[in-house]
Amino acid sequence: MALHGVQEAAVVLPDPGLSDPAPTPGCGVCAALYRQGTDARNPKSPNYDLSKASDYFVELRRHHSNPEGMK
Ligand SMILES: [Zn+2]
């Protein structure tokens, strides 16, 4: 547990007011994440879960914003 300037990733709280990241056109992963995220955010959906929705959108936002360490 060294603290040499390595910061923990900020905890992202569910925030329904947050603007949606746009899914990258043609990317099936983005499309799936976007669909799951919007579904999890829909109170009428059986999959309604705001914390999961937040996870999906965080993942979607990161999917193409990883300039280094692309795996
Ligand atoms: Zn993608």
Side-chain angles (χ1 to χ4, degrees):
M1 288 303 184
L3 293 173
H4 295 293
V6 178
Q7 287 192 312
E8 296 285 333
V11 175
V12 180
L13 298 173
D15 183 358
L18 210 62
S19 62
D20 295 348
T24 299
C27 178
V29 176
C30 284
L33 287 171
Y34 186 77
R35 193 166 50 236
Q36 286 174 294
T38 48
D39 189 39
R41 212 174 41 181
N42 179 2
K44 290 175 184 170
S45 166
N47 301 316
Y48 180 59
D49 187 331
L50 284 182
S51 71
K52 269 191 187 158
S54 177
D55 288 347
Y56 288 131
F57 282 116
V58 166
E59 212 174 315
L60 172 55
R61 201 173 277 118
R62 286 178 180 168
H63 195 233
H64 297 274
S65 58
N66 192 6
E68 44 189 337
M70 290 285 279
K71 287 173 186 170

